[in-house]
Amino acid sequence: MASSGPAPIVSLRGVGKVFGNGLRALDGLDLDVREGEFLSLLGPSGCGKSTALRIIAGLSEPSQGTVTWRDGADARRGIGFVFQEPTLMPWTTVFGNVFLPLKLAGADRAAAAPRIMETLSRVGLTDFAEAYPRELSGGMRMRVSIARALVTAPRILLMDEPFAALDEITRFKLNDDLVSLWRELRMTVVFVTHSGFESVFLSSRIVVMTPRPGRVSNELVIDTPNRDAKFRTSAEYAGYCRVTSEALHAAMGAGAAA
Amino acid sequence: MNERVLRIVAPACVLALGVVLWDFIVRINSIPPYILPSPGLVLSTLVADWPILWSSLLATLETTIEGLALAVVGGIGLAMLFNQSRLIEHSLYPYAVILQVTPVVAVAPLLLIYLPQQAAVLACAWIVAFFPVLANTTLGLNSVDHNLADLFRLYGASRRQVLWELKLPAALPQMLAGIRIAGGLSLIGAVVAEIAAGSAGAGSGLAYRIAESGYRLNIPRMFAALLLLSFAGIAIFALLSWLTHFALRRWHESALTRES
Ligand SMILES: Nc1ncnc2c1ncn2[C@@H]1O[C@H](COP(=O)(O)OP(=O)(O)O)[C@@H](O)[C@H]1O
Ligand SMILES: [Mg+2]
């Protein structure tokens, strides 16, 4: 996977993960995350995508191999994480939830307010700052979760199948918005999904993983300037989807049993 | 009929029916008041003996509220301590359980020997009331969403922040459920201790009045005092239920009224 260009923000080399119950989730995973890219980890469920993401985030330690950050271990401070569920605190408002990362860093509520409101407007929730999570729809809760991850202006945003539980219309809308956020904020995103279509629409690069144990099977670069609603119905998109789907099938065959 | 109206009217009808039946049985069989007083006599006793019953009620309520307050402080404090240290939890939890499973009726006479009466009564109320607060709060503190806990870790939250910003708010519903149970139990503890102390004499609470009236065969006053005790229990439960609802009304499922 030697490729030219700037040094990756974070590199995984030979990363393996064996859980306490003896289950080997990852084995010899090599992965580079490059500055500014939208990288998707694509694979069938149970192939270790979440495990890989948690290892990158430092929420889980690898059993073998190394995780190297270009800017030293402190770079972990610049991570934003979005889980599959919105994972909001039900006892506080949308504002309170988005304030959390700043609060934990010792910020003052009043001083943080402009930044929070700006982030909320980015995800289209300006009018819902004082609403409680249970008053919101699933899609809106996920927007709050994204706003919470963005409010610290992270260097790298890790997302673990954030839209898997949403209906198709909401998912498309959030996909569109995520692409424009990625463009505007020039962030680096690592996005976990089991949907080839979603990964093609969003990503600049797709890494396809084999199941049990998880490792990289294949890599695709999606090089297109026009990522908008029209792209979704274009022949170009269909072409990429076919290639991705073939790569996914090849990966499933390569793994022991899916 | 409207659901809300039904919830008030139905039990009220049962009550009215019960009272009428009670009165009817007393009249038909001409049961003397020292065996079973009629509802009317109980009510007129309640009015006639009001000064003495009222001051007794206040005494019992004072013990109950103090016992509950100590149970809340002790139960939550201990649960927080257990949550911070496994060693302390393993060392002390069995004794909390023993305190809970030993019938307080059996402990009360001993406490009355070693402690001044008021302190002994309060101790009984506390003993029965603190365990549900402890057990529920412990459960709440331990059932925090794993992803939220990971999020706090990711943002480098301190132990104190995890406790105050995550675990305690997450535990609030269970904590309040424990306190609601503790309210009723605190009254029971106070009553048990007063009854146990009854023969020793210096008491002034409602349960003491019941015991005293029993010795004097003043059955109507026993009923009147019992009625007041029930009302006290209902009032405590209603107050704590309202408090729970008020605290959780914005966010918790239990406080949600769904339209179907
Ligand atoms: N904490 C854990 N303990 C034991 N096994 C786990 C744990 N987390 C995940 N696994 C197992 O590791 C494998 C990979 O899981 P995961 O990374 O969640 O897959 P994915 O996100 O691709 O669906 C699965 O078989 C899963 O059951
Ligand atoms: Mg997963």
Side-chain angles (χ1 to χ4, degrees):
Chain A
M1 278 206 308
S3 69
S4 52
I9 296 191
V10 55
S11 298
L12 279 67
R13 284 293 170 269
V15 166
K17 178 74 186 181
V18 183
F19 285 109
N21 58 8
L23 189 125
R24 178 169 279 284
L26 295 174
D27 193 17
L29 177 71
D30 294 321
L31 187 72
D32 287 332
V33 181
R34 298 181 203 126
E35 181 98 55
E37 76 173 336
F38 196 120
L39 171 67
S40 280
L41 296 183
L42 175 65
S45 65
C47 78
K49 305 182 296 292
S50 298
T51 306
L53 208 62
R54 290 173 59 83
I55 286 175
I56 295 176
L59 290 172
S60 172
E61 290 302 317
S63 313
Q64 295 92 33
T66 56
V67 180
T68 318
W69 289 83
R70 187 186 64 197
D71 306 321
D74 269 356
R76 281 221 169 113
R77 284 273 159 271
I79 289 179
F81 203 107
V82 179
F83 298 90
Q84 180 164 352
E85 290 83 38
T87 315
L88 302 177
M89 301 180 291
W91 55 85
T92 183
T93 58
V94 166
F95 185 97
N97 271 284
V98 177
F99 177 43
L100 178 75
L102 305 176
K103 188 184 198 177
L104 292 178
D108 175 70
R109 195 179 173 94
R115 192 148 147 204
I116 293 167
M117 292 316 293
E118 193 216 303
T119 313
L120 282 178
S121 82
R122 275 199 191 287
V123 298
L125 286 176
T126 312
D127 296 339
F128 295 90
E130 294 312 316
Y132 280 76
R134 77 150 204 242
E135 296 161 356
L136 305 178
S137 69
M140 284 157 91
R141 285 181 204 172
M142 197 38 91
R143 287 173 186 277
V144 179
S145 190
I146 293 170
R148 180 180 59 195
L150 291 180
V151 77
T152 54
R155 302 273 317 277
I156 177 166
L157 180 61
L158 308 179
M159 307 180 90
D160 190 358
E161 305 203 36
F163 309 141
L166 302 176
D167 63 86
E168 193 172 81
I169 297 172
T170 310
R171 193 164 63 236
F172 282 1
K173 180 79 179 81
L174 281 162
N175 281 167
D176 292 343
D177 293 353
L178 184 58
V179 166
S180 23
L181 278 173
W182 171 59
R183 287 232 176 98
E184 272 170 44
L185 302 175
R186 304 176 177 285
M187 311 177 278
T188 307
V189 181
V190 181
F191 188 94
V192 162
T193 179
H194 61 247
S195 159
F197 303 104
E198 188 173 53
S199 64
V200 170
F201 183 75
L202 293 170
S203 323
S204 55
R205 191 161 65 101
I206 302 173
V207 163
V208 184
M209 288 175 66
T210 59
R212 251 162 255 166
R215 60 154 66 98
V216 174
S217 128
N218 218 323
E219 191 183 314
L220 297 150
V221 173
I222 312 290
D223 188 14
T224 179
N226 37 352
R227 240 176 255 281
D228 49 23
K230 256 186 268 160
F231 177 54
R232 214 177 244 124
T233 52
S234 68
E236 188 188 14
Y237 178 70
Y240 277 127
C241 286
R242 201 181 55 244
V243 176
T244 307
S245 152
E246 280 162 15
L248 196 53
H249 270 107
M252 306 263 284
Chain B
M1 201 191 294
N2 188 322
E3 175 83 27
R4 258 173 99 155
V5 176
L6 197 70
R7 289 225 310 221
I8 295 168
V9 169
C13 286
V14 172
L15 178 69
L17 212 71
V19 169
V20 167
L21 199 69
W22 171 6
D23 194 57
F24 184 73
I25 289 172
V26 170
R27 273 170 208 276
I28 283 282
N29 302 309
S30 346
I31 300 174
Y34 57 84
I35 294 185
L36 181 64
S38 72
L41 183 58
V42 171
L43 270 188
S44 59
T45 310
L46 188 61
V47 173
D49 292 355
W50 184 253
I52 194 165
L53 288 176
W54 175 244
S55 70
S56 298
L57 174 67
L58 288 185
T60 301
L61 275 183
E62 191 186 323
T63 312
T64 304
I65 290 166
E66 284 172 7
L68 178 62
L70 289 178
V72 168
V73 172
I76 295 175
L78 214 54
M80 283 164 65
L81 205 63
F82 284 3
N83 195 260
Q84 296 298 300
S85 158
R86 277 273 133 130
L87 181 67
I88 297 178
E89 177 173 5
H90 291 321
S91 312
L92 294 185
Y93 197 77
Y95 299 101
V97 173
I98 289 171
L99 217 52
Q100 164 69 11
V101 297
T102 310
V104 73
V105 197
V107 183
L110 270 180
L111 286 177
L112 282 158
I113 294 176
Y114 297 119
L115 295 174
Q117 180 167 328
Q118 185 47 35
V121 173
L122 189 58
C124 283
W126 180 80
I127 286 175
V128 286
F130 100 99
F131 191 79
V133 180
L134 170 68
N136 278 281
T137 307
T138 301
L139 178 71
L141 291 175
N142 290 335
S143 44
V144 165
D145 182 296
H146 285 290
N147 285 337
L148 265 180
D150 278 345
L151 198 75
F152 272 68
R153 201 143 65 85
L154 194 71
Y155 288 121
S158 65
R159 271 174 93 89
R160 198 184 54 81
Q161 283 175 322
V162 171
L163 182 65
W164 286 95
E165 307 290 339
L166 177 63
K167 287 183 171 176
L168 282 174
L172 193 63
Q174 281 99 329
M175 205 186 282
L176 287 166
I179 292 172
R180 210 164 46 178
I181 300 169
L185 287 181
S186 181
L187 181 64
I188 292 176
V191 163
V192 164
E194 279 180 20
I195 298 265
S199 45
S204 59
L206 262 186
Y208 168 74
R209 287 294 160 224
I210 292 180
E212 179 200 51
S213 310
Y215 294 132
R216 299 183 184 172
L217 285 182
N218 188 348
I219 312 300
R221 189 191 275 182
M222 280 179 93
F223 271 90
L226 191 60
L227 202 63
L228 269 189
L229 262 185
S230 294
F231 278 133
I234 293 168
I236 290 169
F237 185 80
L239 194 74
L240 292 175
S241 297
W242 177 83
L243 189 79
T244 304
H245 182 83
F246 183 79
L248 304 180
R249 74 197 183 290
R250 294 302 301 272
W251 65 274
H252 198 253
E253 293 298 330
S254 67
L256 197 64
T257 41
R258 288 185 77 88
E259 287 174 30
S260 51

